[in-house]
Amino acid sequence: MSSLPLVSHVSPESIIAWRTEGAVTLRQFLAEVSRLVTLFPAGSHLLNMCGDRYRFSVGLAAAIVAGKVSLLPSTHTTEIVRQMKVFAPDVFCLTDGAPCTVDLPQLHYPVMSAGQQDQPDAPAIPQIDSRQRIAVVFTSGSTGTPQPHPKTWGALVSSVQAEALRLELLDDTPCTIVGTVPPQHMYGFESTVLMSWLSGNAFSHAQPFYPADICRALAAVPAPRVLVSSPVHLRALLDGGLALPEIARVVSATAPLSVQLAQDIEARCNAPLMEIYGSTETGQIATRRSTQTAEWQLFPGIELIVEDDCVRVCGGHVETSVTMNDIIEPVTDQHFLLHGRTADLVNIAGKRHSLASLNHLLNTIPGVVDGAFFMPDETGDERVTRLAACVVAPGMDARQLLAALREHVDPVFLPRPVLFVDALPRNRTGKLPRAVLQALFQTRSARKPA
């Protein structure tokens, strides 16, 4: 049996997080973890709904130490919570919000007094069996029903340490990670909380969403700062035009960036931008410096196996072979190109196109703030397949939008209808689950057809 430490911080006074009240030391963090373990109910599964990233991390660490499994769906809707209860009938909810209306047994995050945090002796860092299942992460449901994927401690440690090495975050100058993505999502889980634990760095407790909030969260922590974000948040940050504190590095995931957007982000933040590629099933497996190359570089030990039109990922921290849902073109043993998702391919009148590519074209049109193509479910006696599009474009009408699209898109892929909305219902990671787009299309298409 091999064991790995819960954190890589060594000194009891090393800083593991920053909160509104100031720095949190390793001593304080481990004391709060120990305190929370004593309050856990008997259930072996935990739904960690804490909105504060620090409280989430204490809850996660306490669950690991107590041998409980954290369930991490990307959203907490009534239906998702029902699915969690079916998946694990003994699940209970850890929450720091009031009131919490989730229909599960609840444990509210306790108030930690200063006395509970004091430990005169150096705290012992918990050692965790590398084979211990510490979490089950669920897919976002962007292409259907969320699916569970268990994660062991050893695989997660290997993944996150490879990321920290690739991002050059293992030097002697600790940095502070500010994340705009929630820790319940696989990307936020790995790249904010776990990477801080296992690289000797610190993280901000904040979970900023709007540009002004992101600026405040960055300004509230010391340099060097690493911004872990998504294309949606980064584009909004650019459009906001606000003064940014000094940033050492920007990290992006959840959707590939265009070269132009990547260049704009690097120029605006005056920092290198690294993109991460991965999935809930595999975790992160590759990175690229988007302004310098279109090719993705695999993490050490990760292999791509191409069989017919199928690409599988295995090796390294990927414990079982996973078939990817993306269109991947291997370039070398360690590099590949990404051409969109398999599920994004649409076939109309014998012609094929990628929804991701169409979305990219749509969002490059001047005047379009945000937009997404969508293939509605066919209903009734409908025989003609038509794409629809939901668009945020103040001051534009359908005629102008379609004219701009027609310059780049075959007429069979022009959307009918175009639904103009004030904002797209993206989740906190910037994704648009298919069920949400379907509901939006159904409710708006009758009122505002183009």
Side-chain angles (χ1 to χ4, degrees), residues 139-147 281 325 341-344 432-435:
T139 57
S140 64
S142 57
T143 58
T145 304
Q147 298 296 313
E281 297 89 336
N325 294 317
R341 295 184 64 82
T342 306
D344 281 349
L432 285 166
R434 190 181 190 284

Side-chain angles (χ1 to χ4, degrees), residues 18-303:
W18 289 89
R19 305 191 68 188
T20 304
E21 300 84 0
V24 179
T25 64
L26 175 63
R27 184 191 302 277
Q28 178 181 339
F29 172 71
L30 293 178
E32 293 195 25
V33 169
S34 297
R35 165 65 174 159
L36 191 57
V37 167
T38 67
L39 301 177
F40 276 161
S44 60
H45 292 84
L46 163 67
L47 181 64
N48 192 334
M49 289 182 58
C50 290
D52 180 286
R53 199 178 306 270
Y54 174 72
R55 290 173 180 168
F56 171 90
S57 74
V58 173
L60 173 66
I64 294 172
V65 170
K68 301 181 186 296
V69 178
S70 295
L71 304 184
L72 302 175
S74 60
T75 62
H76 298 122
T77 63
T78 301
E79 174 58 21
I80 292 296
V81 171
R82 185 195 68 78
Q83 292 177 17
M84 296 302 103
K85 195 169 185 179
V86 171
F87 179 82
D90 66 347
V91 65
F92 65 95
C93 171
L94 176 66
T95 176
D96 60 356
C100 179
T101 59
V102 171
D103 185 21
L104 291 175
Q106 294 182 18
L107 172 63
H108 285 265
Y109 193 94
V111 175
M112 302 286 188
S113 67
Q116 292 169 337
Q117 299 165 3
D118 291 336
Q119 292 185 350
D121 300 324
I125 297 176
Q127 302 295 309
I128 311 301
D129 183 349
S130 62
R131 297 169 299 179
Q132 179 177 330
R133 178 183 296 188
I134 66 118
V136 177
V137 185
F138 292 78
T139 57
S140 64
S142 57
T143 58
T145 304
Q147 298 296 313
H149 296 278
K151 304 294 177 181
T152 64
W153 180 240
L156 288 168
V157 170
S158 176
S159 168
V160 168
Q161 289 180 339
E163 177 188 16
L165 181 63
R166 183 66 60 81
L167 297 180
E168 300 178 354
L169 298 181
L170 294 176
D171 58 26
D172 295 331
T173 304
C175 66
T176 306
I177 297 171
V178 176
T180 68
V181 287
Q184 288 86 357
H185 183 273
M186 188 66 186
Y187 170 42
F189 180 55
E190 287 186 306
S191 297
T192 60
V193 176
L194 294 185
M195 190 165 66
S196 299
W197 288 3
L198 298 167
S199 65
N201 293 299
F203 66 93
S204 165
H205 78 103
Q207 194 167 301
F209 186 81
Y210 297 106
D213 298 330
I214 296 172
C215 291
R216 280 193 291 269
L218 288 166
V221 300
R225 307 173 182 94
V226 176
L227 177 60
V228 175
S229 195
S230 71
V232 170
H233 294 110
L234 292 172
R235 184 172 181 176
L237 194 62
L238 289 177
D239 293 341
L242 301 175
L244 289 173
E246 182 183 352
I247 300 173
R249 186 173 296 276
V250 181
V251 183
S252 179
T254 72
L257 292 168
S258 67
V259 174
Q260 185 60 58
L261 183 54
Q263 291 173 343
D264 291 345
I265 292 167
E266 285 200 348
R268 183 75 179 80
C269 297
N270 194 29
L273 166 70
M274 291 290 287
E275 281 193 272
I276 293 176
Y277 171 74
S279 67
T280 302
E281 297 89 336
T282 62
Q284 53 200 349
I285 62 170
T287 60
R288 70 176 179 182
R289 176 81 181 273
S290 318
T291 57
Q292 297 183 355
T293 179
E295 296 182 5
W296 297 87
Q297 181 182 3
L298 292 167
F299 282 173
I302 301 293
E303 296 181 47

